[in-house]
Amino acid sequence: MINHPSPNFDARKDGRIKYLILHYTGMATGQEALDRLCDAEAAVSAHYLIEEDGRVFSLVDEEMRAWHAGVSKWEDDVDINDLSVGIEIVNTGHPYPGYESVYKPFTEKQMQALIPLAQSIVKRHEIKACHVVGHSDVAWRRKIDPGELFDWKRLSEEGVGLWPRKQTSTGDEEVNLDIFMNRLSQYGYDTEGWKEDATQLISAFQRHFRPQDFSGKPDAETFFILEDLLKQKAN
Ligand SMILES: [Zn+2]
């Protein structure tokens, strides 16, 4: 662990730490991201950054409120920064207008560094498995990180976060969109005004829980996955 303090934090108001939020940096290099997360003018940060070679940088003390989630919502919580620990994983991310990038898998060394760090965080703060989420889950209107190449399944197998159990039925039953959105809301997603952006919201769910197809189509398999996650969450 490399100590690399960022000035971009303030005091936690609530004091509870309920969530672990994962991000990718979405910049050309890890150094660039590290510089930005420690630049007072940028006013962004995270508690940790994990380089491609597996080095872990500690930027903000977990007891303090880092600035990584922005406008976000999960369940009834709107100040996600106040209630979470945030980890930035170095990855150039998806391209967007004005930024060229080829989104690539996270490195094995990153996963090997992330797993024990995440295990320690969820254990020390007693964070529920269903409260380990991505930036794209809590801010799906604006964000798609850490994206469909992040291995949530492996993380869950290591005891961090939920992953759907094998589906017994993936038939082509009609999915009622109102019910589907209601379930997404129960799971934690902010579904307000979903009619405008249903595809984007469903796509965010799929990037996390069914990354092989994140077209945003509300198919039966996606619905069964969500139903299973709700059952796991209730236990
Ligand atoms: Zn992010």
Side-chain angles (χ1 to χ4, degrees):
M1 180 87 71
I2 302 160
N3 203 32
H4 194 287
S6 165
N8 302 330
F9 65 86
D10 53 8
R12 290 190 188 275
K13 289 166 258 173
D14 186 288
R16 284 173 306 163
I17 297 176
K18 290 171 67 177
Y19 300 106
L20 173 60
I21 310 291
L22 301 187
H23 303 258
Y24 68 45
T25 50
M27 297 184 80
T29 66
Q31 187 61 51
E32 224 175 294
L34 195 57
D35 290 347
R36 180 170 157 81
L37 294 167
C38 294
D39 174 2
E41 275 185 29
V44 291
S45 62
H47 294 92
Y48 301 99
L49 175 139
I50 303 180
E51 256 289 11
E52 286 171 309
D53 61 8
R55 281 177 299 157
V56 180
F57 294 83
S58 165
L59 312 184
V60 173
D61 191 287
E62 283 178 24
E63 295 312 307
M64 306 306 282
R65 179 177 174 274
W67 304 339
H68 53 96
V71 175
S72 304
K73 191 174 181 203
W74 194 256
E75 296 175 357
D76 290 326
D77 294 317
V78 290
D79 191 343
I80 298 297
N81 282 340
D82 198 51
L83 297 166
S84 66
V85 170
I87 302 178
E88 287 278 359
I89 311 166
V90 172
N91 187 301
T92 58
H94 298 79
Y96 54 83
Y99 174 70
E100 280 181 38
S101 165
V102 178
Y103 179 46
K104 288 189 296 285
F106 295 82
T107 70
E108 175 59 24
K109 282 180 175 162
Q110 284 177 316
M111 291 305 290
Q112 284 179 10
L114 171 65
I115 287 164
L117 176 63
Q119 285 172 334
S120 158
I121 292 166
V122 300
K123 190 172 176 207
R124 282 184 288 106
H125 301 295
E126 300 180 334
I127 295 172
K128 292 180 192 167
C130 58
H131 284 173
V132 178
V133 289
H135 201 187
S136 56
D137 295 309
V138 299
W140 58 266
R141 291 178 185 83
R142 304 183 295 119
K143 295 291 177 179
I144 54 173
D145 66 308
E148 65 278 6
L149 295 180
F150 180 74
D151 198 347
W152 291 104
K153 178 171 186 275
R154 178 170 172 191
L155 198 64
S156 177
E157 286 163 358
E158 297 286 353
V160 180
L162 288 186
W163 187 256
R165 292 167 291 195
K166 201 158 173 52
Q167 300 308 303
T168 47
S169 170
T170 54
D172 42 15
E173 293 91 341
E174 190 96 345
V175 174
N176 178 307
L177 207 49
D178 284 300
I179 294 173
F180 190 87
M181 289 295 163
N182 193 283
R183 296 283 201 275
L184 273 178
S185 168
Q186 277 175 29
Y187 193 64
Y189 287 86
D190 175 17
T191 57
E192 207 185 313
W194 63 265
K195 283 195 166 75
E196 308 283 308
D197 302 301
T199 304
Q200 205 179 339
L201 171 53
I202 296 165
S203 177
F205 175 79
Q206 291 167 337
R207 275 182 210 272
H208 186 151
F209 296 108
R210 203 209 37 200
Q212 63 274 25
D213 174 359
F214 52 92
S215 59
K217 204 172 144 281
D219 53 55
E221 186 185 43
T222 306
F223 186 71
F224 282 117
I225 286 171
L226 177 55
E227 291 283 288
D228 179 68
L229 290 167
L230 281 164
K231 277 185 210 139
Q232 292 191 54
K233 183 179 175 172
N235 288 332

